[in-house]
Amino acid sequence: MIHSLFLINHSGDIFLEKHWKSVISRSVCDYFFEAKEKAVDPENVPPVLQTPHHYLITVYRGKLFFLSVIQTEVPPLFVIEFLHRVADTFQDYFGECSEGVIKDNVVTVYELLEEMLDNGFPLATESNVLKEMIRPPTILRSVVNTLTGGSNVGDMLPTGQLSNIPWRRAGVKYTNNEAYFDVIEEIDAILDKSGTTVFAEIQGAIEACVRLSGMPDLTLSFMNPRLLDDVSFHPCVRFKRWESERVLSFIPPDGNFTLMTYHVSSQNLVAIPVYVKQNISFFETGSCGRLEITIGPKQTMGKTVEGLMVTIHMPKAVLSVNLTATQGNYTYDLATKVLVWDIGKLNPQKLPNLRGSLSMPSGVPKPEENPSLNIDLKIQQLAISGVKVSRLDMYGEKYKPFKGVKYVTKAGKFQVRT
Amino acid sequence: MTDSKYFTTTKKGEIFELKAELNSDKKEKKKEAVKKVIASMTVGKDVSALFPDVVNCMQTDNLELKKLVYLYLMNYAKSQPDMAIMAVNTFVKDCEDPNPLIRALAVRTMGCIRVDKITEYLCEPLRKCLKDEDPYVRKTAAVCVAKLHDINAQLVEDQGFLDTLKDLISDSNPMVVANAVAALSEIAESHPNSNLLDLNPQTINKLLTALNECTEWGQIFILDCLANYTPRDDRESQSICERVTPRLSHANSAVVLSAVKVLMKFMEMLPKDLDYYGTLLKKLAPPLVTLLSAEPELQYVALRNINLIVQRRPEILKHEMKVFFVKYNDPIYVKLEKLDIMIRLASQANIAQVLAELKEYATEVDVDFVRKAVRAIGRCAIKVEQSAERCVSTLLDLIQTKVNYVVQEAIVVIKDIFRKYPNKYESVIATLCENLDSLDEPEARAAMIWIVGEYAERIDNADELLESFLEGFHDESTQVQLQLLTAIVKLFLKKPTETQELVQQVLSLATQDSDNPDLRDRGYIYWRLLSTDPVAAKEVVLAEKPLISEETDLIEPTLLEELICHIGTLASVYHKPPSAFVEGSRGVQHKRLPGSAGSGESVESPDAGSAAGVSDAPPAVIPSQGDLLGDLLNLDLTPPSATGPPPAATSGMQMGAMDLLGGGLDSLMGDESEPLGGDLGGSPAMGAGFGAPPAAMPASFNAPVSSGGLDDLFDLGGGVGMPMGAYSPPKAIWLPAMKAKGLEILGTFARRAGVIQMEMTLTNKAMSVMTDFAIQFNKNSFGLTPAGPLQVLTPLSPNQSIEVALPLNTVGPVMKMDPLNNLQVAVKNNIDVFYFSCQYPISMLFVEDGKMERQVFLATWKDIPNDNETQFQIKDCHLSSDAASNKLQGSSIFTIAKRTVDGQDMLYQSIKLTNGIWVLAELRVQAGNPNYTVSLKCRAPEVSQCVFQSYEAVLKN
């Protein structure tokens, strides 16, 4: 089971350690530092490391390494999932997950870690339950606590902890009862030089924000549930109902949560909202190259494409760029060699275009690799897979809640090869 | 107001100030002070000096303050055990508190205080809490048993906590069940043989019910526990599968993978024609694909596991190739794993896509990745014959880019392609030769030289090319030097007239100017061969090479089966059996997949033609049976009859030559060395090299070579006769009284009911009473270490003897000893510490499940290079082969098959050592001849000598 946790910042300082069994010297992290040195980029540090007596399992979140030490055979996915959950909890409690904020709230962090794991076994990881035991810090509360000597640790047994619905606390009360669902889809795609789709799939998620009093029992149904053949649910969803009727039936947790995620696989046809015409070339002689990119709408289902942005990792040899954009601005970071073109809204009448020259030091051979383009975009009010919620019903409570469903499509890992 | 204020220090001295604040009357000030203390603790500062002051704050009704003090206690109690006792009273009191949260907190914290003295006080409160009315307290107490077991295992057993824990599996609350399972699993890991988790249909049913209702983490523990169960029949198996399948849609990827493990294992038992079997296969693909859209760290673990799943059941993901396409911003460790799986999934249907992708990757930035992509193209060519031509032309395109490392990788893989498709793509040699100068890595240079030597007759200027390499001969690495030597000899044999000078030059460089014994000896062999019998030399050096196998890095079938049982664990990430590397797993517990229903022995994939069914001898790894028979027969080339000299008596020179040649040719073939080296080493051609024409091989040996012969050969189904007790040598004096101030130790080793024991007679030959005995071992080859303390309870008075049996296990630290079975022991008593060393018979490390399947035996025998074979003679043994087999079985040497040729009985036997090493043996017994011959084959040939000694000892006693 999970033995110890070390939090390590970007530059390699251990700024927090927590042991759930015996204390393990922090020198065990030296093996990790060695691997980190070797990997150059922090993203590339292997997540599972073997040392003579321990295993180190690491996740990299928000420029921090969460490094856990284990001694016996433990499912690594279990550890990784848990570490991400720790990061999520910090995010949830403090609004961000950074070294500064963790140091500012070190005692709460420590109390949380103690509550989340007991002897290496997860104890309470649901945010609803944790918040009942350890209240998140707010400026108001700390002022009140200082004045009254109150505490931010609950002294009641969290009610949800042992019921059959551990994710929901009892006695929830709101004056405005509301339930909002966001259907968010991300397109992961690889397009080749000529614009043909090499690979495309959709990662979808339904994010919920539910503030309903009492114990509401909700049913969410879809217009076209057949699209959803690969799904993962929040534990609250009744799987049997889904299997038999293709509806989501659940008693929701209180607050924000991910109701389900789904995956529309590469075997279905995935609509690609934009096309990209690009030409990046380097001359055999001389020390320059040319770049020209045009983006236009393809399958947008009549909606507007917003937040369009192109990111290119240029070859190391490219010293500077001299480009003109018909729309938006571009920046070129000389240190990281990253070209970012922020376009904004896509106007189908006047296609955005970026062209100009790339300069390289003379005498350097023509770069071998072809940079690839990463595209960012957003389309409001559209789920590109075609998934649509048809209705939401509530049982078990008398009041009439506000209901709302929003759709948005974004680019995930959307990559155009050159 | 943030906690960072707790880090500010004043000049006066932090500790001093904190002490004052902790003893303050104001509650609020106290709490702030404890918070400061905790803050310092989290960053690794030593604040243990404040122990008494902090503990004083413990008696409070403020829950937050109490929790903070508990946090502090857990960290520092170990360093201040006497002080920690002060806290006990409060703990005991808190365990009676009306608030279940406090009761649970107290029992939880007490378990974390790793101080022996405290554990005694813990027992009573713990017993109460295990039966508490509140499930929250019960579930916390369940975990506490595991904690206590970690500190004092004996205490937990004596107090009967294990039974209480087992009862909790039937608890009404699913969370309690999950925690009880988790605690029991952790405890079971340190007790491999104890039957802690006694799984029967009733408990399984309870677990399955709890599975639906407990937390995600609890589900992981329950699923991992279910995976250890073996269902009685296919119907039970199916019903468990049906109840586990919904877990595949869980948001927690660890739950998903644990469910996949259960399904992959239980699927083995389902009949393949069942509709449900097909449904299940279809249901497995989507969750695996979904894992790949998670965070990169999760992807990595998932990919390592998918790699195993794809090898076992390629049909699950055969349509999902595209999800493994590499994305530009994937971390490098994900990229490399995806590439591996792409090749495993490559087939004729999708090869065009795969190749287009690989070509794209070969122009990426990351050097490691590009190299692997180029190699992958070569592997595709070898795997999918139809694509070979396209692959070769892709490789040629890549060579044209002139990017140095791309060219070198390409040349290395083209060499393999030549091996697979001889006389097909030699037209590209000219292009390769153009890039000779840019090769600077040994592997690429060696590959290029091999190509030049192999196709010397087609390359007009082969001699010039090789000569150019020869200039810097001494600066080359050994790999290149050996290759160059062989290539030039090949060239000479093909074009003797023009190259005489060259060959003499290289032979003298190798034999006279080199310090490297491998190189020198290979040089001598070639020299002698060429000077004595050029025809034979031609047969040896230019022998036809067997084709290389289709897929190179498949995991061994038995290992794969074991790893499938360990999906989702560290073992599956490292692709090693857990016994090989997990320190915590004591004792070797190999898991096997259950046999399929109906057939019972072989598992057939639905599309048996293309898929690599594992037990069904995939054509790639295990050679055809005919081939194997031939090889077994080759071993008989020197029968132990009067006609030939016994191998031991063969002159050193000749023996050396045999080994060397085998070894030399091995390295010549690079990656694919095993089959070639193996075949040549013992082939008739070798005999020819030393003047004995192949025709001299007794004709009778060829007789049984027929496909039917195999069945006769292995008609000896199960074990022979009843097993007898394992052999144990008589006691010997290990420590004479003279050397040990009067303590004499006689001892021996024995294996009784699967437990290794060190049996000793301790005699006190001194004048005074001896007490306080203790024993310790030095690190040793097999990690032997005492499983418990030395049980000498009463003092040993003068002239008294005592018999002691010390159970041993093999989980200690490992260090290779010389001789291998040497054990250094330290014994302590009230007088002094004494050291001695003794040698244990390796036979006590032979485990009871060391009986190999016949098929596996055949495959393994073939798979182990002939270099690893050693032969021994056992003289003056008058047992019949059956009696010998019986006797050996008593010591866990299992006879798998027997055959008789010309009145000579051959027993094929297998042995498994505690550390998982397999030793295969062939024992030849000639009726009327008291001398037996044992041939041992093992991947770790160093054990052979010891194993042979055991044979001798067992047979003669």
Side-chain angles (χ1 to χ4, degrees):
Chain A
M1 294 295 118
I2 301 169
H3 210 111
S4 302
L5 173 73
F6 293 94
L7 296 188
I8 298 168
N9 68 15
H10 202 245
S11 52
D13 303 318
I14 304 171
F15 64 92
L16 188 125
E17 55 182 284
K18 167 87 184 107
H19 307 275
W20 282 278
K21 292 184 169 185
S22 51
V23 176
I24 290 176
S25 153
R26 54 169 67 190
S27 62
V28 72
C29 298
D30 293 349
Y31 294 99
F32 168 77
F33 294 133
E34 213 172 275
K36 181 169 173 275
E37 200 68 24
K38 222 157 88 195
V40 188
D41 290 330
E43 289 84 5
N44 287 339
V45 184
V48 186
L49 293 171
Q50 191 179 2
T51 79
H53 301 288
H54 303 94
Y55 294 88
L56 307 180
I57 298 185
T58 326
V59 304
Y60 184 64
R61 279 277 296 261
K63 304 214 162 151
L64 297 180
F65 292 99
F66 289 71
L67 182 148
S68 64
V69 183
I70 56 176
Q71 245 175 341
T72 48
E73 177 67 89
V74 177
L77 274 188
F78 156 86
V79 182
I80 295 173
E81 278 278 0
F82 179 80
L83 293 177
H84 278 296
R85 207 61 63 84
V86 170
D88 291 342
T89 308
F90 291 168
Q91 181 96 34
D92 191 25
Y93 263 73
F94 314 124
E96 59 172 315
C97 177
S98 66
E99 183 182 359
V101 96
I102 291 174
K103 276 188 170 164
D104 282 351
N105 295 287
V106 70
V107 177
T108 314
V109 164
Y110 227 64
E111 285 171 338
L112 277 173
L113 291 176
E114 184 58 31
E115 217 48 66
M116 291 179 84
L117 214 60
D118 176 20
N119 194 36
F121 298 107
L123 197 60
T125 52
E126 286 290 337
S127 126
N128 267 303
V129 172
L130 282 171
K131 281 186 178 161
E132 261 184 88
M133 291 195 282
I134 300 160
R135 301 205 186 97
T138 61
I139 291 172
L140 182 66
R141 181 164 307 121
S142 48
V143 173
V144 172
N145 281 352
T146 338
L147 291 177
T148 61
S151 132
N152 65 336
V153 172
D155 49 7
M156 284 300 294
L157 181 63
T159 41
Q161 184 82 307
L162 283 162
S163 67
N164 281 344
I165 35 173
W167 53 85
R168 190 174 178 86
R169 60 195 174 99
V172 184
K173 247 202 175 101
Y174 289 103
T175 39
N176 293 327
N177 288 296
E178 45 195 22
Y180 297 115
F181 295 89
D182 290 358
V183 179
I184 301 166
E185 297 198 336
E186 294 194 350
I187 308 170
D188 286 354
I190 303 175
L191 307 185
D192 74 2
K193 227 175 282 201
S194 58
T196 342
T197 311
V198 176
F199 158 83
E201 62 178 11
I202 297 167
Q203 310 289 351
I206 301 184
E207 300 285 352
C209 173
V210 178
R211 298 175 193 286
L212 298 173
S213 314
M215 274 287 164
D217 197 332
L218 302 180
T219 308
L220 187 81
S221 47
F222 296 95
M223 305 270 253
N224 36 14
R226 277 201 309 141
L227 279 170
L228 305 169
D229 60 345
D230 181 2
V231 287
S232 328
F233 297 120
H234 188 276
C236 68
V237 176
R238 297 184 180 100
F239 190 73
K240 285 239 167 73
R241 284 286 298 276
W242 172 257
E243 284 272 90
S244 56
E245 300 165 49
R246 298 272 142 176
V247 295
L248 298 179
S249 156
F250 56 99
I251 295 174
D254 185 43
N256 297 321
F257 63 99
T258 305
L259 178 62
M260 74 180 281
T261 58
Y262 58 92
H263 174 244
V264 178
S265 73
S266 51
Q267 284 166 42
N268 297 22
L269 270 182
V270 173
I272 302 291
V274 293
Y275 69 83
V276 180
K277 266 198 219 156
Q278 44 72 28
N279 181 25
I280 301 176
S281 54
F282 300 99
F283 301 123
E284 207 64 65
T285 54
S287 52
C288 61
R290 292 201 57 77
L291 174 146
E292 173 154 13
I293 305 172
T294 311
I295 299 188
K298 208 170 163 190
Q299 293 156 290
T300 58
M301 323 281 171
K303 307 278 191 209
T304 319
V305 178
E306 301 167 18
L308 197 56
M309 188 153 83
V310 180
T311 311
I312 311 170
H313 286 260
M314 285 293 179
K316 292 241 171 357
V318 177
L319 274 188
S320 64
V321 298
N322 184 13
L323 308 167
T324 7
T326 60
Q327 186 188 339
N329 303 313
Y330 78 87
T331 52
Y332 183 61
D333 186 327
L334 295 174
T336 56
K337 309 282 179 195
V338 176
L339 174 69
V340 179
W341 178 27
D342 190 346
I343 304 166
K345 212 173 249 178
L346 178 66
N347 178 1
Q349 268 71 53
K350 194 170 160 287
L351 300 182
N353 169 280
L354 180 74
R355 62 192 298 177
S357 61
L358 312 170
S359 62
M360 292 175 291
S362 52
V364 169
K366 183 181 153 206
E368 296 301 337
E369 74 264 21
N370 304 323
S372 83
L373 280 56
N374 286 311
I375 313 283
D376 266 324
L377 57 84
K378 202 180 204 179
I379 307 173
Q380 300 285 2
Q381 291 312 318
L382 172 73
I384 198 125
S385 68
V387 166
K388 243 191 158 81
V389 175
S390 72
R391 57 184 299 149
L392 176 75
D393 300 303
M394 187 181 75
Y395 305 93
E397 295 290 335
K398 292 272 183 287
Y399 56 84
K400 215 173 149 40
F402 289 108
K403 301 181 276 194
V405 179
K406 229 169 62 182
Y407 300 90
V408 63
T409 295
K410 296 175 185 172
K413 291 179 176 170
F414 194 110
Q415 172 193 340
V416 183
R417 289 176 179 160
T418 61
Chain B
M1 283 266 289
T2 68
D3 293 349
S4 55
K5 64 176 187 266
Y6 301 128
F7 292 112
T8 52
T9 52
T10 55
K11 283 172 196 149
K12 264 179 138 185
E14 200 180 5
I15 301 280
F16 177 78
E17 204 158 274
L18 281 171
K19 212 177 180 93
E21 284 175 35
L22 283 170
N23 292 317
S24 152
D25 296 333
K26 284 188 193 149
K27 254 190 192 170
E28 203 44 38
K29 201 152 196 186
K30 259 189 190 178
K31 196 163 85 187
E32 287 302 294
V34 176
K35 281 196 177 179
K36 278 185 203 169
V37 173
I38 301 278
S40 312
M41 190 177 86
T42 57
V43 291
K45 268 186 211 159
D46 183 19
V47 283
S48 59
L50 295 167
F51 199 92
D53 308 284
V54 177
V55 171
N56 274 337
C57 302
M58 191 169 157
Q59 295 221 15
T60 168
D61 45 3
N62 182 320
L63 190 61
E64 185 180 19
L65 184 55
K66 197 182 268 292
K67 276 193 174 182
L68 290 171
V69 175
Y70 280 180
L71 272 177
Y72 178 89
L73 268 176
M74 285 185 238
N75 225 13
Y76 286 116
K78 184 103 186 145
S79 55
Q80 311 261 341
D82 295 327
M83 299 272 212
I85 296 285
M86 286 163 47
V88 163
N89 242 335
T90 320
F91 279 127
V92 176
K93 219 172 80 201
D94 282 355
C95 285
E96 308 272 339
D97 197 281
N99 183 345
L101 194 58
I102 302 224
R103 291 203 295 277
L105 185 64
V107 78
R108 188 172 125 202
T109 312
M110 257 180 118
C112 293
I113 297 181
R114 308 173 62 85
V115 176
D116 277 342
K117 285 182 194 157
I118 287 202
T119 53
E120 293 166 29
Y121 296 98
L122 178 58
C123 291
E124 272 325 297
L126 178 58
R127 198 186 316 281
K128 257 185 222 150
C129 288
L130 279 168
K131 303 221 159 101
D132 199 286
E133 52 172 19
D134 194 307
Y136 182 72
V137 181
R138 289 203 299 277
K139 89 170 195 177
T140 313
V143 175
C144 190
V145 175
K147 292 181 197 171
L148 191 58
H149 187 272
D150 193 33
I151 305 167
N152 190 342
Q154 196 60 43
L155 185 73
V156 169
E157 280 165 44
D158 295 346
Q159 296 278 337
F161 284 138
L162 291 182
D163 294 323
T164 324
L165 205 50
K166 279 188 215 165
D167 293 342
L168 285 184
I169 291 188
S170 319
D171 199 280
S172 57
N173 186 292
M175 251 79 84
V176 178
V177 177
N179 274 18
V181 168
L184 279 172
S185 311
E186 192 177 81
I187 295 173
E189 220 176 290
S190 52
H191 280 272
N193 298 323
S194 67
N195 213 358
L196 273 180
L197 275 164
D198 182 24
L199 297 174
N200 54 45
Q202 285 78 37
T203 45
I204 291 293
N205 207 13
K206 275 175 199 145
L207 291 181
L208 285 168
T209 314
L211 180 63
N212 288 327
E213 290 169 15
C214 66
T215 66
E216 50 198 306
W217 313 109
Q219 294 184 14
I220 301 170
F221 300 131
I222 294 186
L223 286 168
D224 285 347
C225 175
L226 279 177
N228 290 330
Y229 177 64
T230 310
R232 286 161 305 171
D233 51 32
D234 51 321
R235 295 184 58 184
E236 189 184 9
S237 186
Q238 179 175 348
S239 94
I240 295 176
C241 286
E242 277 166 358
R243 293 177 73 177
V244 167
T245 320
R247 298 298 122 210
L248 291 177
S249 300
H250 201 286
N252 186 320
S253 58
V255 175
V256 174
L257 202 58
S258 290
V260 168
K261 162 164 61 185
V262 175
L263 296 175
M264 282 293 287
K265 191 178 168 192
F266 288 8
M267 236 168 124
E268 298 289 334
M269 293 193 56
L270 300 177
K272 309 288 168 287
D273 46 357
L274 198 70
D275 285 346
Y276 181 70
Y277 178 82
T279 324
L280 198 53
L281 273 183
K282 278 201 203 89
K283 279 191 174 166
L284 277 170
L288 290 174
V289 170
T290 304
L291 289 179
L292 297 182
S293 51
E295 284 85 359
E297 299 92 2
L298 296 170
Q299 280 189 48
Y300 171 75
V301 176
L303 285 165
R304 293 294 286 172
N305 280 286
I306 289 174
N307 200 328
L308 298 173
I309 294 169
V310 163
Q311 285 185 60
R312 178 76 187 160
R313 296 195 178 274
E315 63 272 22
I316 294 177
L317 287 168
K318 69 179 170 204
H319 298 304
E320 302 288 349
M321 170 62 89
K322 282 187 175 179
V323 300
F324 298 102
F325 284 2
V326 172
K327 292 181 189 121
Y328 181 78
N329 34 13
D330 283 335
I332 181 73
Y333 56 83
V334 168
K335 286 183 177 177
L336 296 176
E337 292 305 318
K338 280 189 173 174
L339 204 51
D340 235 11
I341 296 172
M342 279 173 69
I343 300 163
R344 296 221 190 276
L345 288 176
S347 67
Q348 203 181 336
N350 57 23
I351 192 74
Q353 273 180 340
V354 175
L355 265 183
E357 280 296 301
L358 292 176
K359 199 172 170 185
E360 196 69 46
Y361 304 158
T363 61
E364 277 225 32
V365 195
D366 193 287
V367 177
D368 282 343
F369 180 58
V370 170
R371 281 173 181 275
K372 192 153 181 177
V374 176
R375 259 186 207 224
I377 297 176
R379 277 170 67 185
C380 282
I382 291 166
K383 190 174 173 192
V384 185
E385 184 159 2
Q386 293 80 358
S387 76
E389 192 153 350
R390 214 162 352 160
C391 294
V392 171
S393 76
T394 308
L395 287 170
L396 282 180
D397 287 351
L398 289 172
I399 289 176
Q400 299 303 349
T401 65
K402 305 273 176 198
V403 180
N404 189 288
Y405 53 86
V406 173
V407 173
Q408 309 210 40
E409 282 301 320
I411 287 183
V412 172
V413 291
I414 285 180
K415 177 207 72 179
D416 288 345
I417 296 177
F418 284 167
R419 285 288 315 281
K420 171 79 181 175
Y421 309 109
N423 305 319
K424 215 164 163 192
Y425 299 110
E426 281 72 14
S427 52
V428 308
I429 290 176
T431 322
L432 302 186
C433 291
E434 287 166 18
N435 292 289
L436 223 53
D437 302 330
S438 62
L439 308 179
D440 54 9
E441 289 162 27
E443 201 183 354
R445 286 173 83 86
M448 190 64 217
I449 293 169
W450 181 85
I451 293 171
V452 174
E454 191 65 19
Y455 298 100
E457 67 272 28
R458 308 189 187 198
I459 305 171
D460 295 333
N461 59 344
D463 47 344
E464 286 170 33
L465 292 177
L466 292 176
E467 199 169 359
S468 69
F469 280 103
L470 207 55
E471 281 163 19
F473 189 78
H474 289 298
D475 302 327
E476 299 283 2
S477 72
T478 313
Q479 188 187 13
V480 179
Q481 289 176 335
L482 287 168
Q483 208 58 262
L484 196 52
L485 171 61
T486 308
I488 291 178
V489 172
K490 281 183 189 164
L491 173 69
F492 170 71
L493 289 167
K494 288 174 178 174
K495 300 179 180 173
T497 44
E498 310 120 69
T499 56
Q500 202 146 9
E501 205 174 312
L502 193 61
V503 83
Q504 262 166 8
Q505 202 182 338
V506 77
L507 285 175
S508 79
L509 275 172
T511 53
Q512 285 157 26
D513 301 343
S514 171
D515 296 333
N516 183 325
D518 284 350
L519 183 64
R520 210 168 46 213
D521 290 354
R522 194 192 283 195
Y524 276 127
I525 291 171
Y526 284 148
W527 203 324
R528 290 208 180 121
L529 262 175
L530 291 172
S531 52
T532 43
D533 189 349
V535 182
K538 222 169 184 161
E539 264 180 80
V540 172
V541 180
L542 301 180
E544 201 170 310
K545 280 157 277 303
L547 297 182
I548 56 170
S549 54
E550 275 176 20
E551 259 184 279
T552 38
D553 50 357
L554 282 176
I555 296 175
E556 229 184 299
T558 40
L559 177 59
L560 182 62
E561 278 194 24
E562 194 181 349
L563 288 177
I564 290 283
C565 297
H566 287 283
I567 282 177
T569 64
L570 282 168
S572 71
V573 173
Y574 286 101
H575 292 185
K576 283 183 200 163
S579 50
F581 71 106
V582 176
E583 208 173 64
S585 86
R586 275 144 261 204
V588 190
Q589 243 184 336
H590 285 289
K591 294 187 186 169
R592 292 291 305 268
L593 289 174
S596 100
S599 73
E601 46 177 13
S602 71
V603 184
E604 223 165 9
S605 337
D607 46 348
S610 62
V614 175
S615 315
D616 249 354
V621 235
I622 302 174
S624 73
Q625 299 187 331
D627 217 20
L628 203 67
L629 255 182
D631 201 59
L632 278 176
L633 284 168
N634 280 342
L635 299 169
D636 300 337
L637 274 174
T638 46
S641 58
T643 52
T650 321
S651 75
M653 157 64 203
Q654 208 174 346
M655 279 300 283
M658 270 179 141
D659 279 345
L660 268 175
L661 197 51
L665 286 164
D666 274 356
S667 53
L668 203 148
M669 284 7 298
D671 293 349
E672 321 302 335
S673 61
E674 288 195 7
L676 177 68
D679 266 27
L680 268 189
S683 77
M686 263 313 299
F690 294 99
M697 205 172 79
S700 63
F701 283 124
N702 285 328
V705 188
S706 68
S707 55
L710 189 79
D711 295 334
D712 305 339
L713 207 152
F714 288 109
D715 59 348
L716 199 81
V720 193
M722 292 295 294
M724 300 178 297
Y727 161 71
S728 156
K731 281 188 180 168
I733 293 188
W734 282 344
L735 186 67
M738 310 241 309
K739 282 194 179 164
K741 303 186 179 161
L743 175 69
E744 186 188 64
I745 301 182
L746 275 111
T748 183
F749 292 89
R751 187 181 180 92
R752 302 199 196 278
V755 181
I756 305 165
Q757 288 194 334
M758 186 167 176
E759 297 178 346
M760 288 178 288
T761 310
L762 309 180
T763 311
N764 184 353
K765 295 198 170 171
M767 305 304 285
S768 59
V769 176
M770 292 179 180
T771 55
D772 299 332
F773 284 94
I775 192 163
Q776 212 171 18
F777 292 178
N778 195 359
K779 292 182 201 168
N780 54 69
S781 315
F782 294 93
L784 277 174
T785 176
L790 190 61
Q791 299 285 343
V792 186
L793 299 175
T794 48
L796 200 59
S797 37
N799 280 326
Q800 194 194 354
S801 284
I802 185 170
E803 301 275 338
V804 191
L806 178 70
L808 309 181
N809 58 29
T810 52
V811 298
V814 172
M815 185 175 79
K816 198 173 164 192
M817 301 294 292
D818 189 29
L820 209 61
N821 56 346
N822 199 17
L823 181 67
Q824 295 175 339
V825 184
V827 169
K828 177 194 101 88
N829 62 11
N830 57 333
I831 299 168
D832 204 343
V833 183
F834 310 107
Y835 302 92
F836 62 90
S837 71
C838 52
Q839 293 184 5
Y840 47 89
I842 202 167
S843 60
M844 65 176 199
L845 299 173
F846 298 170
V847 294
E848 280 72 15
D849 64 350
K851 183 156 182 166
M852 227 180 213
E853 295 292 333
R854 277 190 217 161
Q855 290 288 338
V856 182
F857 182 90
L858 277 169
T860 317
W861 183 277
K862 173 76 182 175
D863 208 16
I864 299 176
N866 281 5
D867 288 359
N868 285 8
E869 183 174 347
T870 21
Q871 241 182 38
F872 302 96
Q873 292 263 316
I874 300 174
K875 296 210 167 85
D876 297 324
C877 191
H878 298 278
L879 291 163
S880 74
S881 61
D882 283 352
S885 156
N886 235 342
K887 208 161 182 178
L888 290 169
Q889 180 147 351
S891 294
S892 295
I893 300 173
F894 297 98
T895 303
I896 287 163
K898 175 185 167 179
R899 77 187 162 112
T900 309
V901 176
D902 287 352
Q904 180 171 235
D905 287 336
M906 310 207 181
L907 301 176
Y908 295 92
Q909 297 170 321
S910 74
I911 299 163
K912 193 169 113 187
L913 299 180
T914 45
N915 57 358
I917 292 180
W918 286 92
V919 182
L920 309 186
E922 184 205 55
L923 180 68
R924 272 181 261 153
V925 180
Q926 180 105 36
N929 183 344
N931 295 350
Y932 291 2
T933 309
V934 191
S935 303
L936 296 174
K937 252 190 166 187
C938 178
R939 285 189 203 284
E942 5 353 344
V943 302
S944 297
Q945 181 66 35
C946 291
V947 172
F948 159 67
Q949 286 167 1
S950 293
Y951 259 92
E952 196 160 46
V954 172
L955 287 173
K956 290 191 174 169
N957 287 285

